[in-house]
Amino acid sequence: MYGAGDVRVENAPDPAIQQPTDAIVRIVRSCICGSDLHPYHSLPASERGTPMGHEFLGVIEDLGSQVSGLRRGDVVVAPFAYSDNTCAFCREGLHTSCLSGGFWASGGVGGGQAEAIRVPQAQGTLVKLPVGEDSELLSSLLTLADVYGTGYHAAKQAHVNPGTTVAVIGDGAVGLMAVLSAKRLGAEQIILMGRHDARTKLGIDFGATDVVPERGAEGVEKVRELTGGQGVHAVLEAVGYMNAYETAVGVVRPGGVISRVGVPQYEDAAIGFASLFGPNITLTGGPAPVRAYIDQLLPDVLEGRVEPGRVFDQAIVLEQVPDGYRAMDERTALKVLIQP
Amino acid sequence: MYGAGDVRVENAPDPAIQQPTDAIVRIVRSCICGSDLHPYHSLPASERGTPMGHEFLGVIEDLGSQVSGLRRGDVVVAPFAYSDNTCAFCREGLHTSCLSGGFWASGGVGGGQAEAIRVPQAQGTLVKLPVGEDSELLSSLLTLADVYGTGYHAAKQAHVNPGTTVAVIGDGAVGLMAVLSAKRLGAEQIILMGRHDARTKLGIDFGATDVVPERGAEGVEKVRELTGGQGVHAVLEAVGYMNAYETAVGVVRPGGVISRVGVPQYEDAAIGFASLFGPNITLTGGPAPVRAYIDQLLPDVLEGRVEPGRVFDQAIVLEQVPDGYRAMDERTALKVLIQP
């Protein structure tokens, strides 16, 4: 990406092992993330493009000498942050704060919207998948790289359980995965706030019990009506804009939790007596430590009990990536799968 | 209180039963709260004074016809909010959001800095104490009305446990009770941020392992030094000013919790990627549902295993209440006990 709206597909040097803890992965599936749209809207123009993409699965092509437990030819999925899986933060399940970790497409590491990628901390980062590279499950398995784990993080951080009433703000892929996750954790009332028919229908398939297309004060009122006037125990906020935060404050119940996984596009917001403090609201969330959740979420995907891959409604090849960004930006696609 | 700095002791009509759920309590001990200093600094002058005080224990003098489980002559303590102890919020332990509840010194209910008070929702609100009105434990028992329960709320909301490193911001009575509560919950490192010698010494008696008198960036650096550079799992913020919030963000560890019980004197603050979201910080807290904690905290007080009443370092009679406010405002007193 060379600036807002300027995505180009270019030849780049093949990645190679640099550290003994690296691996090289040939990418079999990757995709475009809702969060990629933020730079697509606002990245300053530059002569030096930046690599893009942080969700991929593929086949191990090469391994550094210190990587054990993995072999060439293994089909693996990578979380959207790499991590050693051994440091104090990883041991607490916060792989996104790994002391040896980092994020794709920065600091000399490539992006996932590519044919191949160098994976630092390969042993801690990559999770072997017991499928072939022609498996029909690849789309669903790819969601473990980000959106399913991110939706699950929202629900886990909000302590969703069978007694919890839930509102999910946003019907993008992460919002829909938050619905699926709340359902998995037993929530009996899951209100999806979104206005795109095809997406909210998928949300109902994933477990939403109510859909509220209204926004702002009207949307808040609708959610309150659906919860006996009291609001919901857990708000899973999967958008990141200030109006989504304001809606979250409006629909949450006293004593409830606002769990954010949409990357905030604001820094300051209301958290004083009138908003969070007076009614004892908890605010939580952040970049999901997806690595911590893959092992938990994998069996249901492998056994077909859930189909998170249904969020992909368009598939393209690498050369079409600029069209993929456009489709997601124009909301003609929910989430675009890339098959290099 | 007739305005900032203007506290008067006046004769008022004796309270009487108004609802069948009321009780009348003759007050045996009450006190002045750090939060009473906020109106003491900023209340607009008015011809009609407002009653003050929300912490008291006393003897039941009269009971409405629908109150059961209590008798005239019982020694009782009241939490700083009254509540029915039966509604949906009370059942979830959030008595400060009780659907039939409210706060002292507002809405036609008197304050605790008085000789007697009408207690709405008496059956849900008052907790019988198995002591006489001459007990030496009265000071410690009075802390169950607010400061001990409030400090405990901070620690509980932060999920303090034996593996948690804790920083307490503020060496007022609530801060010291937060230290005692963190200790009770098993924390092994408790860093008290405060600069008043007599108070931090008491904090050490209550369980603080380190004292950091520095403020701002210097204080943040000291706490980071004491925690191997990583910050603390739990920050118990018992001040309420913006600089305390900023310190909290500075000393908390990625994945950690900021638990606020100091009433925020601000509405907007930083909660975006750079402050809370990026490092997955949880922000929690609010007015403590003290009623929910009295039963848990009472046995240790009755058996003398803890002495929270040591926060009272000055005792006055009702006529001296204006002096008591002055002493707390000038910090010549930590917390002032009132013996009507």
Side-chain angles (χ1 to χ4, degrees):
Chain A
M1 188 178 287
Y2 282 80
D6 186 4
V7 179
R8 308 179 198 170
V9 182
E10 295 186 341
N11 282 311
D14 284 345
I17 298 288
Q18 293 179 14
Q19 303 290 329
T21 46
D22 286 349
I24 303 299
V25 169
R26 173 172 54 83
I27 294 172
V28 176
R29 292 286 186 283
S30 67
C31 53
I32 303 173
C33 184
S35 69
D36 291 333
L37 295 180
H38 294 313
Y40 189 73
H41 293 149
S42 63
L43 187 73
S46 159
E47 308 245 320
R48 271 184 61 191
T50 179
M52 294 297 298
H54 52 262
E55 301 154 284
F56 62 90
L57 55 72
V59 176
I60 294 180
E61 297 269 288
D62 200 3
L63 281 168
S65 59
Q66 287 178 21
V67 183
S68 64
L70 294 168
R71 308 173 70 164
R72 289 180 196 194
D74 281 351
V75 175
V76 290
V77 64
F80 71 80
Y82 59 84
S83 58
D84 62 20
N85 205 21
T86 59
C87 81
F89 291 103
C90 286
R91 288 198 306 273
E92 293 183 6
L94 194 66
H95 296 71
T96 42
S97 293
C98 173
L99 295 169
S100 311
F103 295 87
W104 308 110
S106 68
V109 179
Q113 292 159 12
E115 291 176 323
I117 190 165
R118 178 176 69 88
V119 176
Q121 302 295 340
Q123 186 175 320
T125 301
L126 298 173
V127 178
K128 187 179 170 176
L129 300 173
V131 297
E133 61 176 293
D134 56 350
S135 164
E136 287 184 356
L137 294 172
L138 291 192
S139 302
S140 284
L141 291 166
L142 180 59
T143 66
L144 297 172
D146 185 346
V147 290
Y148 191 12
T150 293
Y152 193 64
H153 186 54
K156 285 292 279 186
Q157 289 294 101
H159 304 293
V160 171
N161 64 55
T164 314
T165 53
V166 176
V168 173
I169 301 179
D171 58 10
V174 171
L176 297 178
M177 293 294 95
V179 168
L180 184 66
S181 300
K183 176 76 177 173
R184 182 181 193 276
L185 293 167
E188 287 171 10
Q189 186 177 24
I190 303 171
I191 302 166
L192 175 58
M193 301 187 77
R195 50 169 57 194
H196 303 88
D197 255 12
R199 302 179 181 192
T200 55
K201 275 179 188 150
L202 187 51
I204 290 169
D205 284 358
F206 283 152
T209 53
D210 305 274
V211 171
V212 171
E214 291 86 354
R215 292 185 176 185
E218 215 184 334
V220 168
E221 200 184 326
K222 274 282 161 73
V223 173
R224 296 209 156 257
E225 272 172 29
L226 288 167
T227 53
Q230 295 182 341
V232 293
H233 292 101
V235 184
L236 314 184
E237 199 283 85
V239 175
Y241 290 113
M242 180 59 99
N243 58 2
Y245 177 71
E246 289 165 349
T247 298
V249 172
V251 301
V252 69
R253 194 173 189 276
V257 182
I258 297 171
S259 187
R260 294 181 299 171
V261 287
V263 180
Q265 301 302 303
Y266 51 85
E267 188 58 40
D268 284 17
I271 62 167
F273 200 95
S275 47
L276 302 190
F277 189 87
N280 268 280
I281 306 305
T282 294
L283 177 67
T284 191
V290 171
R291 180 64 186 83
Y293 303 131
I294 294 180
D295 297 334
Q296 296 169 53
L297 300 178
L298 185 56
D300 277 359
V301 175
L302 288 174
E303 289 157 33
R305 280 195 291 270
V306 292
E307 293 179 287
R310 290 178 67 195
V311 294
F312 294 108
D313 59 348
Q314 203 173 110
I316 59 175
V317 294
L318 209 51
E319 288 64 35
Q320 297 168 310
V321 164
D323 301 327
Y325 275 83
R326 208 168 302 123
M328 282 185 59
D329 187 40
E330 292 169 354
R331 296 175 187 275
T332 55
L334 167 54
K335 193 166 176 71
V336 172
L337 184 73
I338 305 170
Q339 298 167 304
Chain B
M1 188 179 288
Y2 281 81
D6 185 4
V7 178
R8 308 178 197 170
V9 183
E10 294 185 340
N11 282 311
D14 285 344
I17 298 289
Q18 292 179 14
Q19 302 289 330
T21 47
D22 286 350
I24 302 300
V25 169
R26 173 172 54 82
I27 292 171
V28 174
R29 291 290 185 282
S30 68
C31 54
I32 303 173
C33 183
S35 69
D36 292 334
L37 295 180
H38 293 313
Y40 189 73
H41 292 149
S42 64
L43 188 72
S46 159
E47 307 244 320
R48 270 183 64 190
T50 178
M52 293 297 297
H54 52 262
E55 300 153 285
F56 62 90
L57 56 74
V59 176
I60 293 179
E61 297 270 287
D62 200 3
L63 280 169
S65 58
Q66 287 178 20
V67 183
S68 64
L70 294 168
R71 307 174 68 164
R72 289 181 195 193
D74 281 351
V75 175
V76 290
V77 65
F80 72 78
Y82 58 84
S83 57
D84 62 20
N85 206 22
T86 58
C87 80
F89 291 103
C90 287
R91 287 197 307 272
E92 292 183 7
L94 192 66
H95 296 70
T96 41
S97 294
C98 173
L99 295 169
S100 312
F103 296 87
W104 309 111
S106 70
V109 179
Q113 292 159 10
E115 292 175 323
I117 191 167
R118 178 175 70 89
V119 176
Q121 301 295 341
Q123 185 176 321
T125 301
L126 298 173
V127 178
K128 187 178 173 179
L129 300 172
V131 298
E133 62 176 294
D134 57 350
S135 164
E136 287 182 357
L137 295 172
L138 291 192
S139 302
S140 283
L141 291 167
L142 179 59
T143 66
L144 297 173
D146 185 346
V147 288
Y148 190 11
T150 294
Y152 193 66
H153 185 55
K156 284 292 279 187
Q157 289 293 101
H159 303 293
V160 171
N161 64 55
T164 314
T165 52
V166 176
V168 175
I169 301 179
D171 58 10
V174 171
L176 297 177
M177 293 294 95
V179 169
L180 183 67
S181 300
K183 176 76 177 170
R184 182 180 195 276
L185 293 168
E188 286 171 10
Q189 185 176 26
I190 303 170
I191 303 166
L192 175 57
M193 301 188 78
R195 48 170 56 193
H196 303 89
D197 255 13
R199 302 178 181 192
T200 55
K201 276 181 186 147
L202 187 51
I204 290 169
D205 285 357
F206 283 152
T209 52
D210 305 274
V211 171
V212 171
E214 291 86 354
R215 292 185 178 184
E218 216 184 333
V220 168
E221 202 184 324
K222 275 282 162 72
V223 173
R224 295 210 157 257
E225 273 172 27
L226 288 166
T227 53
Q230 295 182 342
V232 293
H233 293 101
V235 184
L236 314 184
E237 200 284 82
V239 175
Y241 290 113
M242 180 59 98
N243 57 3
Y245 177 71
E246 289 166 349
T247 298
V249 171
V251 302
V252 70
R253 191 174 193 278
V257 183
I258 298 172
S259 185
R260 296 182 298 172
V261 287
V263 179
Q265 301 302 301
Y266 51 86
E267 188 58 39
D268 283 17
I271 62 168
F273 200 96
S275 49
L276 302 190
F277 188 87
N280 268 281
I281 307 304
T282 295
L283 177 67
T284 189
V290 172
R291 179 65 186 82
Y293 302 132
I294 293 180
D295 298 333
Q296 296 170 52
L297 300 177
L298 185 56
D300 277 359
V301 175
L302 289 173
E303 289 156 34
R305 281 195 293 270
V306 293
E307 294 179 288
R310 291 177 67 196
V311 295
F312 294 107
D313 59 348
Q314 204 175 105
I316 59 175
V317 294
L318 209 52
E319 286 65 35
Q320 297 168 312
V321 164
D323 300 327
Y325 274 83
R326 209 168 298 121
M328 282 187 56
D329 187 40
E330 292 168 356
R331 295 176 187 276
T332 56
L334 167 53
K335 193 167 174 71
V336 173
L337 185 74
I338 304 169
Q339 298 167 303

